[in-house]
Amino acid sequence: MSFALFRYIIPLLFCILLAGQSPAQKRHKNSSFYKGRYKSVKVSKAKAKVVCPIFEHSKYPYQGIGIKLGDPFAITYKFYATKNFAVAIDVGSAASGLYNKYHRDNFVNYSISDSLLGSASISYLGHKVKSEWVAEGKLLYHHDASKLLSGLQWYIGAGWQVRQLNIEYEYFLEINVNENEIGKFDVNRFTMGPTGALGLEYAYFELPVSAFLEIEMFSDVLEDPGWIRFQGGVGIRYVF
């Protein structure tokens, strides 16, 4: 994952650590340090039910919808079928800045160099990503990790990703010593492939929301077979 992604990961982990302080305070509420200083907080049963919504085993299935920051930046939906199994669907835009080198290297695959005559040559000048859409679906297996932190789960899964790219390349065409020109051409590219996912999900808030952090691996099987890309992000979903 790129350095920019850690700007999202670090604040999320910080929030998780802060949330974890609540159980710690309960364990020490009878100590001499806390005695007389703080009053115990009474939580109603109705409020307690939304502290950790997806862990109330008798209430499955659940659904969640929210936003994911990273690669891709996406709207995310999750169907929590049972305690251990869920299906996630993400639809959004790839972090195109992370693919600059890849798109530049692909220029030779799309350029018109094969049709040039004589000593004419063509070279890359730049590119502009007009759109780069990503959609994926994943089947996930969840496992409880509350021994580490109340409300925490880890998950692993696999799925399928499709990608649609519309990119404009700018090139320099040298026809001969005295004749040159600058031109542009567009490329529309559709590809797909399997994905693997590994993540953490945390739901121990006073609101029915869950926060998650995940990394993924995508393998292209259509346009560029064998090309592998690591992706990932953090996000939050409203659970209902």
Side-chain angles (χ1 to χ4, degrees):
M1 291 184 289
S2 69
F3 175 78
L5 187 56
F6 283 89
R7 292 183 297 175
Y8 301 115
I9 295 176
I10 292 175
L12 177 65
L13 293 177
F14 182 68
C15 291
I16 289 176
L17 290 175
L18 286 180
Q21 299 306 309
S22 179
Q25 290 179 358
K26 292 180 181 179
R27 288 195 296 268
H28 297 286
K29 69 179 181 180
N30 294 324
S31 66
S32 59
F33 180 80
Y34 287 95
K35 188 175 182 180
R37 298 187 178 213
Y38 302 100
K39 293 182 179 180
S40 60
V41 178
K42 295 182 179 180
V43 180
S44 67
K45 291 183 179 180
K47 188 176 182 180
K49 287 183 179 179
V50 298
V51 170
C52 190
I54 66 172
F55 293 158
E56 195 170 341
H57 305 326
S58 62
K59 297 296 181 69
Y60 282 93
Y62 285 96
Q63 298 183 77
I65 189 167
I67 191 169
K68 177 181 177 180
L69 304 176
D71 183 27
F73 177 80
I75 299 298
T76 177
Y77 169 81
K78 194 166 185 178
F79 178 73
Y80 303 86
T82 68
K83 172 186 174 183
N84 296 116
F85 291 98
V87 175
I89 298 173
D90 300 335
V91 178
S93 178
S96 298
L98 301 178
Y99 296 85
N100 277 334
K101 184 179 184 303
Y102 180 69
H103 292 325
R104 176 171 182 165
D105 292 344
N106 273 337
F107 172 78
V108 296
N109 298 324
Y110 305 127
S111 68
I112 58 175
S113 56
D114 292 341
S115 62
L116 299 179
L117 301 175
S119 60
S121 64
I122 188 172
S123 57
Y124 168 91
L125 282 182
H127 70 265
K128 177 183 178 182
V129 175
K130 294 183 175 180
S131 64
E132 192 166 7
W133 297 104
V134 178
E136 65 178 4
K138 296 169 290 191
L139 177 64
L140 305 172
Y141 172 77
H142 282 248
H143 192 276
D144 181 59
S146 58
K147 290 184 179 180
L148 297 177
L149 183 65
S150 295
L152 184 67
Q153 298 185 57
W154 64 266
Y155 60 87
I156 189 170
W160 196 260
Q161 183 178 116
V162 296
R163 306 174 68 92
Q164 174 66 50
L165 170 68
N166 178 226
I167 186 170
E168 178 186 82
Y169 283 103
E170 185 176 18
Y171 62 88
F172 177 77
L173 177 62
E174 185 177 359
I175 301 173
N176 54 53
V177 176
N178 299 315
E179 188 177 359
N180 304 309
E181 66 179 52
I182 294 176
K184 298 178 181 180
F185 64 89
D186 285 358
V187 172
N188 287 295
R189 182 187 186 206
F190 176 82
T191 193
M192 64 179 68
T195 61
L198 178 66
L200 295 172
E201 185 159 4
Y202 179 81
Y204 204 71
F205 304 102
E206 291 185 359
L207 296 174
V209 297
S210 69
F212 65 93
L213 178 157
E214 67 182 17
I215 57 174
E216 295 181 304
M217 185 180 73
F218 166 73
S219 179
D220 194 336
V221 298
L222 185 61
E223 284 285 335
D224 193 358
W227 179 69
I228 293 176
R229 177 73 189 185
F230 284 94
Q231 304 167 337
V234 298
I236 191 167
R237 298 185 185 95
Y238 171 72
V239 179
F240 56 96

